[in-house]
Amino acid sequence: MKDVIIVGSGIAACSLAWQLHQQGKSLTLISDRKKGSSSVAAGVYNPMVLKRFTAVWNAGVQLEFLNNMFDYVLENTDIDVRTPITVARRFHDEKESLTWIKKSVREDLKTFMNSTVQKIDINGIEASSGYGLVNGTGWVDTIKFMSLTLSFFESLDSVYLEEFDYRRLKTSHNSVTYKTFSAAHIIFADGYRMLDNPYFDNLPIQGNKGEVLLIKVPGLELDYILKSSVFLMPYKDDLFWVGATYDRENLVDEATAAGQDFLTSRLERFMKLPYEIVEHKHGIRPTTIDRRPFVGHHSIHENIWVFNGMGSRAVLIAPWASLQLINCIYNNQPINAEIDIKRFEKVNP
Ligand SMILES: Cc1cc2nc3c(=O)[nH]c(=O)nc-3n(C[C@H](O)[C@H](O)[C@H](O)COP(=O)(O)OP(=O)(O)OC[C@H]3O[C@@H](n4cnc5c(N)ncnc54)[C@H](O)[C@@H]3O)c2cc1C
C-alpha cells in the first residue's frame, strides 16, 4: 500500500508529488494527461499584482517554497525548469510611474519593487514613460515540468495513465482503494474538471478561460518579461508569448477570434515590429470566489483530499500550498485558514 494516490498531473499534482517525495512518502499518480490549464500556462511567477502595484498574498513565503521545490527537482533530475528573468512593468503614463515610486518604499513592497524608474531602450518597443522592475520573477516551463515529473515517477513505477472513474473508489477509515491501487490517502488535483468530482462538487469552483498567443518576431531582442495591458515574454529563438485573456462567461472549449483580437490590439499599442502568429492556445483556470486555493479533506471521508483552485498563479502558490496539505496529513498541523476548505462549511454548514 502506498502513502498517497494523487489524481491529476498538472502543476498542482506535480508540485504535490515532488513535495511528498521529498518527505519520503510513496505515491501513485493517476492521470489521463488530458490538456488542462497547466499546458497553456506561460508559467510566469511574479510576487506582484501589476495592475494595482500590490504584493501577491503571502508572496515572499511562496517564492521561497517555489525555489526550494524546484531546487529539489533539479537535484533529482538534473533539469532546472525555471528561467529567472525580470518582469518589467511598462508604465502607461507619468502618473503611473510616480505611483510606482511612492509604493516601492513601502515595507511590504520594497523587497519586490525596484524603486528607480528605468528607461530601457528596446528596439521595436514604445515605452516613453519607462518601466518599473520587479525582483524575484521568472517563468517555469510547465510542459517540461509535467513531462519530467511523469517520467521520474514512471521510473519508480508510480504512474497510471487513465481517466479516473470516481465510482470505483472504495474507502475505509484508514485507506482508499482504486482498482488494484491502495493508499492511506487520496488527493484530487483535477483542476477545473473538479466539476465532475462527486466528492468535492459542493466547492464553488469558477472557470476563468484564458487565451495566449505564441508569436514570431524576428529582430526583437528582449531580456525582460514586459507587462503592459498584456504581457510579452521571450520563449525561445524569436518566439514570444503574448497573454492573457480572462473570461468567466464564455467557457466554450475553443480559442476565439475575439481573444486573438484582444491580444493583438493590446500588443500593437506598444510593440511596433512585424510579427506572425504561430500558435493560439486556450485553457480554463480553476479559480475560486475568494481567490484562494481549495485545500482540505472531505467532510466525512478524512482520507480524501482536495488540492485545487490555483487560479492564475499555480506556479507560485502550489509549492507552498502543497506543504500545507502534507503538514496537515503527517504532522497534524492546521491548514492555513484562508486556503482550508473548512471556510465554506461556515457559510454552508
Ligand atoms: C492562458 C493561461 C495562462 C496562464 N498563465 C499562468 C502563468 O503564467 N503562471 C501561473 O502560475 N499560472 C498561469 N495560469 C494558471 C494555471 O494554468 C493554473 O492555475 C494551473 O494550470 C492549474 O493547475 P492544476 O494542476 O490545478 O489543473 P490542470 O492543469 O487543469 O490539471 C488537471 C489535471 O487533472 C487531470 N484530470 C482531471 N480529471 C481527471 C480524471 N477524472 N482522471 C484522470 N485525470 C484527471 C488532467 O488530465 C490534468 O492533468 C494560466 C492559465 C491560463 C489559462
Side-chain angles (χ1 to χ4, degrees):
M1 183 166 96
K2 296 279 179 81
D3 292 312
V4 176
I5 293 171
I6 300 175
V7 178
S9 60
I11 300 167
C14 292
S15 301
L16 256 177
W18 283 106
Q19 301 281 29
L20 282 162
H21 185 263
Q22 190 167 17
Q23 307 277 326
K25 304 298 176 193
S26 59
L27 59 99
T28 300
L29 271 167
I30 301 180
S31 175
D32 56 13
R33 290 194 84 173
K34 281 194 185 150
K35 281 190 179 162
S37 181
S38 305
S39 33
V40 180
V44 177
Y45 54 92
N46 163 26
M48 295 276 307
V49 181
L50 289 171
K51 215 175 191 175
R52 297 188 292 274
F53 303 163
T54 53
V56 168
W57 174 70
N58 233 351
V61 178
Q62 288 177 15
L63 263 182
E64 195 185 316
F65 281 76
L66 176 156
N67 281 311
N68 289 344
M69 188 190 83
F70 285 111
D71 286 347
Y72 185 69
V73 174
L74 173 62
E75 249 171 60
N76 281 274
T77 62
D78 280 337
I79 298 175
D80 196 344
V81 290
R82 287 162 294 187
T83 302
I85 174 171
T86 302
V87 168
R89 169 62 155 82
R90 174 183 171 271
F91 298 127
H92 300 114
D93 50 39
E94 298 301 322
K95 196 172 154 218
E96 263 198 348
S97 63
L98 291 173
T99 310
W100 178 276
I101 295 169
K102 215 162 103 189
K103 288 210 170 181
S104 66
V105 293
R106 262 175 45 175
E107 207 48 45
D108 57 329
L109 298 175
K110 66 182 188 192
T111 335
F112 308 127
M113 294 173 82
N114 188 315
S115 60
T116 326
V117 170
Q118 306 283 331
K119 301 278 183 185
I120 309 163
D121 193 18
I122 305 167
N123 178 37
I125 303 291
E126 191 284 308
S128 50
S129 300
Y131 300 95
L133 304 186
V134 187
N135 303 320
T137 57
W139 65 280
V140 162
D141 187 330
T142 54
I143 307 258
K144 202 188 267 180
F145 175 47
M146 293 186 292
S147 69
L148 79 80
T149 302
L150 284 178
S151 306
F152 180 82
F153 287 100
E154 253 162 9
S155 73
L156 303 178
D157 209 13
S158 300
V159 174
Y160 183 59
L161 296 178
E162 196 187 83
E163 179 160 1
F164 187 88
D165 180 353
Y166 300 99
R167 292 166 306 182
R168 295 195 59 179
L169 180 65
K170 296 195 179 89
T171 56
S172 73
H173 75 284
N174 59 0
S175 69
V176 294
T177 305
Y178 178 73
K179 296 189 176 176
T180 55
F181 304 99
S182 56
H185 299 270
I186 185 164
I187 305 173
F188 288 104
D190 39 10
Y192 183 59
R193 285 166 62 203
M194 188 184 112
L195 281 178
D196 302 326
N197 183 336
Y199 293 98
F200 294 104
D201 56 5
N202 60 320
L203 293 176
I205 193 146
Q206 287 182 332
N208 191 319
K209 184 170 160 184
E211 300 183 41
V212 284
L213 300 174
L214 184 64
I215 60 170
K216 188 173 184 172
V217 197
L220 177 60
E221 283 179 21
L222 193 56
D223 297 326
Y224 300 91
I225 298 174
L226 292 192
K227 177 74 180 89
S228 189
S229 44
V230 288
F231 72 79
L232 177 64
M233 183 183 112
Y235 177 47
K236 57 182 174 189
D237 306 323
D238 46 12
L239 295 174
F240 300 82
W241 288 113
V242 181
T245 62
Y246 293 82
D247 189 348
R248 280 204 213 121
E249 307 303 323
N250 175 7
L251 300 182
V252 180
D253 192 15
E254 61 185 19
T256 63
Q260 179 171 320
D261 287 349
F262 174 88
L263 295 170
T264 53
S265 62
R266 297 301 186 283
L267 172 71
E268 287 166 22
R269 288 181 189 170
F270 65 94
M271 209 275 297
K272 305 296 175 190
L273 294 173
Y275 65 93
E276 172 198 336
I277 296 173
V278 177
E279 205 179 337
H280 182 178
K281 299 209 282 187
H282 70 282
I284 301 197
R285 304 174 183 89
T287 52
T288 67
I289 46 172
D290 57 3
R291 294 169 184 247
R292 299 283 183 264
F294 294 145
V295 183
H297 63 69
H298 185 267
S299 54
I300 298 167
H301 307 289
E302 295 195 358
N303 46 7
I304 302 185
W305 300 79
V306 63
F307 189 66
N308 210 318
M310 300 295 144
S312 56
R313 295 183 189 273
V315 171
L316 185 61
I317 204 167
W320 170 79
S322 49
L323 267 183
Q324 287 281 317
L325 193 159
I326 292 167
N327 280 331
C328 177
I329 298 180
Y330 295 106
N331 302 324
N332 219 9
Q333 285 179 12
I335 294 170
N336 178 298
E338 289 194 58
I339 64 172
D340 193 329
I341 55 168
K342 284 192 182 128
R343 68 194 189 275
F344 297 105
E345 284 169 16
K346 285 178 201 148
V347 182
N348 209 355

